[in-house]
């Protein structure tokens, strides 16, 4: 491996803006004006140490630094980094994106607030605010005022600061003798006293997040771990539309020099379903409601019935994939891809995930807008599509680019769409529609049981009539297609462990794909195994594996998409919603009940 790169990063955000901060308090990744935009701070893909970069980073460096510590304010995404120099001087950097209610509506600007204050001694610092444009190809154009700097990046950004502007412009070393505030946000005048307003923003942001966390129904055990995962999942929401991105980054390789470098800054309906499922188990109804609005708009925009696997956060259907060469990539391991060709794929499981995401809305009395008969009628077109395609080949949930098959997981998700439509119709008192969808679901079940079961191997296969093993078969229980004690599932689980388990982790599949043999484990699949082991009665083993997964997290308490088979080192885009959803689901399932403390 060559070049700089480290996924031990801490995200901040407010459901509009987000950034990844390294252990020394440098912004190494942030895109504007949206999470899928041009990275204003792109050090993560530069292949160089942030301290050496001439663009694409925002670092508040302590001269002669020898150590750093970092943590979040409890139950918030407000990040505090403490740096110490060789003489014992100490500074504290605080980072957050403003998030609270103002004028009876959410205030969540594309803005970052940083403060730096001396805690001990006579520290000397250098502020290097070096935004880039065009994927790191050029420095952002700069104009200045008496106490602000304007940067010509997409959407234009303005820094308002209490520090001397020339110190920032020239990256000059100066003694930090008082707290300084930096507000990097929309290109408009900053109203009020910067110090006072920044303090008000921090206090209100802290209050917002702590109130949000207070409403979560967390499990008794692993509460801090679940809360951190839930906050981060919420940071992956583009609240303006309700979209949920799969990750904040693009092109972090799934394995070293593998070429498996993808752009995950879009809304996969599959990933969003699992995110909503996990947060629903904690009672976070706000994210469900926003995402259902996003789904309704997607359905309305596709009268033909075909739903793509993913869309842009603004519901854009075309996400043309291209490579950019201005940056060398994570640890120098290109290519860097923007867009994702998977928007062209047929992935039939999405029809099930749309209905499964919506099903709770027919039952949940807490929602501002419970689902009704009109919503059900609109969903029937999704069910019709699921019924029409469940025996047709697709690219599958792992998004194979050069081959198609009738994937068992896709077929089961299509069955789930019809099964849950029958349940919803019954709930609404629509007896004739309940009979219609129940009949279709039963027909589909019989076909899947016949075509996906491999009698010679004595287990289910990943494809109709095939032999392949795939970790997605673990979802036969979660979808309620099979019970955990069904002999067909226990046989499939036994075979899956033999073929895909590698010690304490699980592969998606072990066969060659478009890029060769898999080299890393897929974190979400390991969480699926933990759930299956627990439901199969192997509870102690499930808890042991869960603790081992927690030990693989970054210092921010988060996970990427994949991990090294031997070292557990993180690979793949970060933070990964799939992985964090798996963490929450397992914690809820494995935890002792609250009644045990009475």
């Amino acid at each position: 491996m060559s070049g700089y790169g480290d996924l031990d990063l801490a995200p901040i955000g407010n459901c509009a803006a987000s950034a990844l901060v390294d252990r020394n308090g440098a912004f190494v990744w942030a895109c504007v004006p949206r999470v899928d935009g041009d990275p204003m701070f792109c050090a993560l893909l530069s292949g160089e140490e942030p301290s050496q970069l001439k663009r694409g980073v925002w670092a508040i460096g302590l001269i002669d630094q020898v150590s750093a510590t970092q943590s979040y304010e409890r139950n918030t995404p407000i990040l505090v980094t403490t740096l110490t120099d060789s003489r014992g001087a100490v500074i504290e950097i605080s980072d957050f994106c403003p998030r609270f209610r103002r004028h009876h509506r959410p205030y969540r600007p594309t803005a970052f607030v940083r403060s730096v204050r001396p805690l001990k001694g006579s520290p000397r610092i250098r502020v290097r605010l070096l935004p880039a444009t065009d994927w790191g190809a050029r420095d952002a154009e700069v104009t200045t005022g008496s106490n602000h700097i304007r940067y010509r990046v997409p959407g234009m950004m303005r820094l308002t600061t209490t520090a001397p502007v020339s110190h920032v412009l020239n990256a000059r070393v100066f003694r930090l003798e008082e707290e300084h505030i930096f507000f990097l946000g929309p290109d408009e005048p900053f109203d009020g006293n910067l110090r006072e307003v920044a303090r008000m923003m921090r206090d209100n942001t802290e209050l917002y997040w702590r109130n949000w966390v207070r409403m979560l129904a967390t499990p008794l055990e692993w509460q801090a771990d679940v809360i951190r995962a839930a906050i981060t999942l919420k940071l992956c929401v583009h609240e303006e539309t309700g979209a949920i991105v799969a990750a904040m980054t693009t092109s972090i390789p799934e394995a070293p020099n593998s070429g498996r470098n993808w752009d995950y800054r879009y809304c996969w309906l599959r990933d969003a379903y699992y995110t909503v499922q996990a947060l629903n188990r904690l009672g976070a109804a706000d994210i469900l409601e926003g995402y259902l609005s996003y789904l309704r708009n997607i359905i309305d925009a596709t009268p033909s019935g075909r739903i793509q696997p993913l869309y842009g956060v603004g519901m854009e259907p075309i996400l043309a994939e291209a490579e950019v060469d201005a940056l060398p990539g994570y640890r120098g391991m290109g290519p860097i891809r923007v867009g994702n060709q998977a928007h062209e794929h047929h992935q039939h499981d999405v029809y099930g995930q749309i209905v499964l995401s919506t099903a709770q809305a027919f039952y949940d009395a807490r929602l501002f807008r419970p689902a009704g008969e009109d919503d059900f009628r609109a969903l029937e077109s999704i069910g019709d599509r699921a019924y029409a395609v469940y025996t047709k080949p697709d690219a599958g949930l792992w998004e194979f680019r050069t081959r198609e098959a009738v994937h068992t997981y896709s077929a089961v998700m299509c069955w789930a769409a019809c099964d849950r439509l029958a349940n919803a119709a019954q709930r609404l008192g629509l007896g004739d529609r309940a009979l219609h969808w129940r009949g279709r679901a039963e027909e589909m079940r019989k076909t899947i049981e016949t075509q996906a079961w491999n009698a010679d191997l004595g287990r289910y296969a990943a494809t109709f009539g095939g032999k392949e093993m795939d970790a997605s078969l673990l979802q036969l229980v979660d979808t309620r297609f099979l019970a955990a004690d069904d002999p067909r599932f226990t046989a499939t689980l036994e075979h899956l462990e033999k073929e895909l388990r590698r010690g304490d982790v699980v592969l998606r599949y072990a066969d060659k794909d478009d890029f060769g043999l898999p080299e890393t484990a897929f974190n979400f699949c390991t969480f699926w195994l933990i759930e299956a082991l627990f439901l199969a009665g192997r509870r102690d083993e499930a808890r042991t594996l869960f603790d081992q997964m927690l030990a693989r997290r970054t210092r921010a308490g988060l996970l990427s998409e994949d991990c090294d088979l031997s070292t557990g080192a993180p690979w793949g885009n970060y933070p990964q919603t799939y992985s964090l959803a798996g963490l929450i689901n397992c914690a809820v399932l494995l935890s002792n009940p609250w009644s045990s403390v009475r």
Side-chain angles (χ1 to χ4, degrees):
M1 294 183 289
S2 62
Y4 169 82
D6 191 349
L7 289 184
D8 195 5
L9 306 172
I12 61 171
N14 61 5
C15 304
S18 60
L20 295 177
V21 186
D22 78 4
R23 69 191 67 178
N24 296 313
F27 281 31
V28 298
W29 185 256
C31 300
V32 291
R34 305 189 317 194
V35 64
D36 56 354
D38 191 356
M40 175 173 61
F41 302 121
C42 53
L44 183 61
L45 300 183
S46 71
E48 297 182 52
E49 289 280 354
S51 62
Q52 305 301 315
L53 284 172
K54 296 182 179 179
R55 69 170 68 104
V57 68
W58 187 2
I60 300 176
L62 176 63
I63 305 305
D64 297 325
Q65 176 192 326
V66 294
S67 68
T69 61
Q70 193 173 70
S71 63
Y72 286 107
E73 291 286 351
R74 190 175 75 89
N75 293 353
T76 79
I78 300 173
L79 185 68
V80 178
T81 306
T82 304
L83 306 179
T84 303
D85 72 14
S86 59
R87 298 175 304 280
V90 182
I91 66 171
E92 180 185 87
I93 304 168
S94 176
D95 295 313
F96 69 97
C97 295
R99 171 66 201 245
F100 48 89
R101 291 193 67 81
R102 189 174 76 170
H103 305 312
H104 305 288
R105 61 180 181 269
Y107 176 70
R108 40 173 163 73
T110 303
F112 308 93
V113 182
R114 312 198 73 180
S115 67
V116 56
R117 64 189 181 106
L119 295 185
K120 183 180 178 182
S122 303
R124 299 164 66 240
I125 69 169
R126 176 188 285 118
V127 179
R128 300 170 60 247
L129 176 49
L130 306 169
T133 62
D134 196 17
W135 286 86
R138 297 188 305 275
D139 299 328
E141 294 181 21
V142 175
T143 57
T144 65
S146 58
N147 67 347
H148 73 266
I149 308 171
R150 299 171 69 241
Y151 298 94
R152 186 173 293 281
V153 294
M156 290 294 293
M157 299 288 278
R158 177 190 293 229
L159 175 75
T160 304
T161 180
T162 61
V165 169
S166 65
H167 287 359
V168 178
L169 284 171
N170 297 296
R172 182 182 297 141
V173 175
F174 66 98
R175 180 177 289 194
L176 183 66
E177 297 182 325
E178 62 178 332
E179 181 180 37
H180 281 303
I181 309 296
F182 304 85
F183 181 91
L184 181 64
D187 183 27
E188 53 195 40
F190 191 94
D191 294 329
N193 180 288
L194 180 56
R195 294 183 192 277
E196 293 177 0
V197 174
R199 170 52 61 184
M200 176 274 293
M201 286 182 172
R202 177 175 170 136
D203 290 346
N204 287 346
T205 298
E206 180 177 341
L207 181 63
Y208 168 82
W209 285 103
R210 289 189 172 176
N211 278 333
W212 185 78
V213 167
R214 193 161 60 101
M215 302 305 292
L216 298 179
T218 56
L220 172 62
E221 299 180 83
W222 306 293
Q223 288 186 60
D225 308 314
V226 168
I227 287 169
R228 183 54 51 201
I231 288 173
T232 306
L233 288 181
K234 186 172 173 69
L235 296 184
C236 290
V237 174
H238 185 73
E239 197 169 59
E240 183 182 47
T241 62
I244 305 170
V245 299
M248 292 181 182
T249 59
T250 179
S251 303
I252 308 299
E254 293 179 16
N257 296 304
S258 64
R260 301 173 188 263
N261 300 19
W262 314 116
D263 191 350
Y264 277 10
R265 301 169 303 151
Y266 308 110
C267 184
W268 269 260
L269 304 191
R270 177 187 313 113
D271 300 51
Y273 156 65
Y274 282 112
T275 298
V276 167
Q277 178 196 56
L279 291 172
N280 282 349
R281 287 170 176 168
L282 301 179
D286 58 329
I287 295 175
L288 170 65
E289 288 195 297
Y291 179 59
L292 292 183
S293 175
Y294 181 84
L295 278 184
R296 287 191 291 268
N297 282 302
I298 291 292
I299 294 169
D300 288 349
T302 52
S304 65
R306 180 194 170 248
I307 302 293
Q308 297 175 192
L310 70 154
Y311 294 84
V313 297
M315 297 175 287
E316 298 85 357
I318 306 301
L319 303 170
E321 186 175 300
E323 295 182 8
V324 296
D325 56 11
L327 295 167
Y330 180 77
R331 300 194 183 185
M333 299 176 189
I336 294 173
R337 293 190 173 96
V338 181
N340 199 299
Q341 185 230 351
H343 77 275
E344 302 173 1
H345 291 186
H346 291 276
Q347 296 176 24
H348 301 326
D349 57 304
V350 297
Y351 303 107
Q353 283 132 12
I354 289 173
V355 177
L356 287 170
S357 296
T358 308
Q360 181 173 332
F362 291 102
Y363 298 84
D364 197 333
R366 300 171 303 160
L367 303 182
F368 286 131
R369 187 192 178 283
E373 185 172 340
D374 288 345
D375 299 294
F376 173 81
R377 299 293 184 186
L379 274 183
E380 286 196 291
S381 67
I382 300 300
D384 287 336
R385 185 74 178 178
Y387 179 72
V389 301
Y390 83 102
T391 57
K392 302 292 193 298
D394 73 349
L397 80 162
W398 307 127
E399 302 184 338
F400 297 118
R401 294 192 165 206
T402 59
R403 65 178 188 265
E404 290 189 333
V406 181
H407 289 96
T408 301
Y409 175 84
S410 296
V412 168
M413 277 293 177
C414 287
W415 163 84
C418 296
D419 178 75
R420 302 315 193 268
L421 281 170
N423 294 345
Q426 194 69 43
R427 172 75 174 176
L428 295 170
L430 304 174
D432 59 331
R433 303 313 296 161
L435 287 172
H436 170 77
W437 290 110
R438 184 64 61 208
R440 283 191 166 182
E442 291 174 357
E443 175 191 339
M444 295 164 77
R445 171 184 281 280
K446 291 177 182 177
T447 300
I448 295 167
E449 289 177 336
T450 301
Q451 298 299 319
W453 179 258
N454 187 309
D456 293 335
L457 296 176
R459 63 165 173 82
Y460 277 100
T463 60
F464 279 19
K467 300 178 180 179
E468 306 94 334
M469 175 53 73
D470 186 321
S472 65
L473 293 173
L474 294 168
Q475 290 291 280
L476 291 170
V477 171
D478 189 70
T479 56
R480 303 204 298 267
F481 188 82
L482 293 179
D485 60 357
D486 189 307
R488 294 170 297 176
F489 180 72
T490 55
T492 301
L493 174 60
E494 179 183 354
H495 282 267
L496 185 145
E497 288 194 82
K498 291 178 181 177
E499 297 182 39
L500 300 185
R501 185 168 176 177
R502 300 293 186 269
D504 302 327
V505 295
V506 178
L507 303 177
R508 288 175 289 186
Y509 45 82
D511 301 317
K512 283 186 177 181
D513 60 15
D514 313 332
F515 292 81
L517 290 171
E519 301 173 63
T520 51
F522 199 79
N523 289 326
F524 198 29
C525 294
T526 303
F527 286 121
W528 282 349
L529 175 64
I530 292 168
E531 290 179 315
L533 294 177
F534 180 87
L535 294 171
R538 296 160 61 182
R539 300 190 175 195
D540 290 343
E541 186 178 356
R543 288 177 68 95
T544 298
L545 286 183
F546 183 61
D547 286 338
Q548 290 166 342
M549 285 300 294
L550 292 180
R552 293 189 179 94
R553 293 173 301 160
T554 62
R555 286 187 293 182
L558 306 176
L559 289 161
S560 63
E561 180 183 45
D562 308 273
C563 70
D564 185 274
L565 293 175
S566 57
T567 67
W571 289 94
N573 284 305
Y574 175 90
Q576 179 78 4
T577 54
Y578 254 163
S579 301
L580 299 179
L583 186 158
I584 291 172
N585 288 337
C586 286
V588 170
L589 184 66
L590 300 180
S591 175
N592 288 315
W594 279 95
S595 59
S596 65
V597 302
R598 295 175 186 166

